[in-house]
Amino acid sequence: MSVRQLLTSRSSTRGFLDKPVADEVLHQIFSDAQQSPSNCNTQPWKTHVISGEKKDALSALLVTEVMSGKPPSPDFDWTVSYQGDHRERQFGSASALYGALGIERQDKQARGAAMIKNWQFFGAPHAVFFTMEKYLNIMGAVDLGIYAQSLALLLAEQGIGCCMQGALGQFPAPVREFLSLSDSEGVLFGMSFGYPDPDAAINQAKTDRVSLDTAVNFVA
Ligand SMILES: Cc1cc2nc3c(=O)[nH]c(=O)nc-3n(C[C@H](O)[C@H](O)[C@H](O)COP(=O)(O)O)c2cc1C
């Protein structure tokens, strides 16, 4: 598929088949993603790909942490409160997601249960944590975002779906311990990936995009 076809046909995947990606495919994809550009070629991403029993063990630690009622304690500043059009679009994305699952807006319990699936990696066979040196702050975050999108497109080219997850940066303590991260390394966000389950209702969630003239200012 062309990049255009990949981009226009993609959507986040949150329901997966129980079928791991072959090691050689994994290595090729992550090797190709290394070609992503970065500011001054600093390549600040550190990518932790977790599969199998290790992934299940980390998921259990994360779910325990989240369910303990502790507030999120991210390594980087994720505290934006969306306003205006951004808030409308945030509602639109939540409504696509919960609508696909048949969850009513006021059903907080069902929404909470759906939210917990973030830390179960939505049942995916693989999870990725993107970490970087904390001092890099926004400069590193730009590079990691670009890297993650390269990765997402390379995965899509192989028929592999993914969901990028800010949620995976919200409770870094278990991740830090599990991966033996140094104090200077922060968890920015993560991603779950694997072969999409075509029958999963959650994969029917589709979001829209604003029109070209709202987003792009052509100056000539
Ligand atoms: C940086 C980033 C963080 C995200 N965090 C989450 C998340 O924590 N949980 C989730 O289910 N989706 C998450 N998403 C997916 C977005 O909700 C999704 O990309 C958006 O609603 C557009 O829908 P689409 O990807 O299906 O086109 C995230 C996406 C990005 C780019």
Side-chain angles (χ1 to χ4, degrees):
M1 278 211 256
S2 67
V3 175
R4 177 166 185 266
Q5 285 168 324
L6 287 172
L7 257 181
T8 51
S9 62
R10 66 152 296 285
S11 59
S12 291
T13 300
R14 299 183 182 87
F16 298 88
L17 297 178
D18 184 15
K19 177 187 166 192
V21 178
D23 279 351
E24 57 275 19
V25 178
L26 272 187
H27 282 97
Q28 190 62 58
I29 287 170
F30 283 89
S31 166
D32 291 343
Q34 282 299 109
Q35 296 306 318
S36 297
S38 55
N39 194 39
C40 300
N41 199 26
T42 46
Q43 307 166 63
W45 50 83
K46 287 204 70 183
T47 311
H48 309 263
V49 189
I50 309 173
S51 313
E53 287 175 7
K54 297 270 187 197
K55 179 213 55 155
D56 294 339
L58 179 54
S59 168
L61 292 171
L62 277 165
V63 169
T64 303
E65 180 89 353
V66 175
M67 302 284 278
S68 74
K70 283 186 205 160
S73 172
D75 289 329
F76 300 94
D77 185 7
W78 278 86
T79 53
V80 66
S81 183
Y82 288 120
Q83 301 170 15
D85 289 344
H86 302 146
R87 190 147 177 77
E88 288 298 311
R89 295 171 199 160
Q90 180 185 31
F91 282 143
S93 122
S95 132
L97 194 57
Y98 296 122
L101 291 170
I103 297 174
E104 299 291 334
R105 190 164 177 183
Q106 58 277 12
D107 190 347
K108 286 197 171 154
Q109 204 177 348
R111 282 183 168 228
M115 187 68 187
I116 287 289
K117 292 198 188 310
N118 271 285
W119 295 281
Q120 295 166 331
F121 309 125
F122 298 111
H126 310 278
V128 182
F129 286 83
F130 303 109
T131 68
M132 65 178 194
E133 288 296 309
K134 288 179 185 165
Y135 84 91
L136 287 165
N137 217 337
I138 191 171
M139 287 310 299
V142 170
D143 292 334
L144 265 63
I146 288 171
Y147 170 85
Q149 177 64 353
S150 299
L151 190 57
L153 288 171
L154 288 163
L155 289 165
E157 192 182 28
Q158 298 297 326
I160 300 165
C162 73
C163 185
M164 300 202 197
Q165 291 168 265
L168 298 185
Q170 300 299 308
F171 297 90
V175 184
R176 169 173 311 289
E177 198 176 325
F178 194 84
L179 296 173
S180 304
L181 301 184
S182 67
D183 288 348
S184 63
E185 195 174 348
V187 182
L188 184 63
F189 69 122
M191 175 193 274
S192 301
F193 72 88
Y195 295 99
D197 179 352
D199 298 326
I202 199 165
N203 287 342
Q204 307 316 312
K206 301 291 174 218
T207 53
D208 55 14
R209 298 294 186 269
V210 296
S211 64
L212 188 65
D213 58 351
T214 306
V216 182
N217 177 23
F218 292 104
V219 181

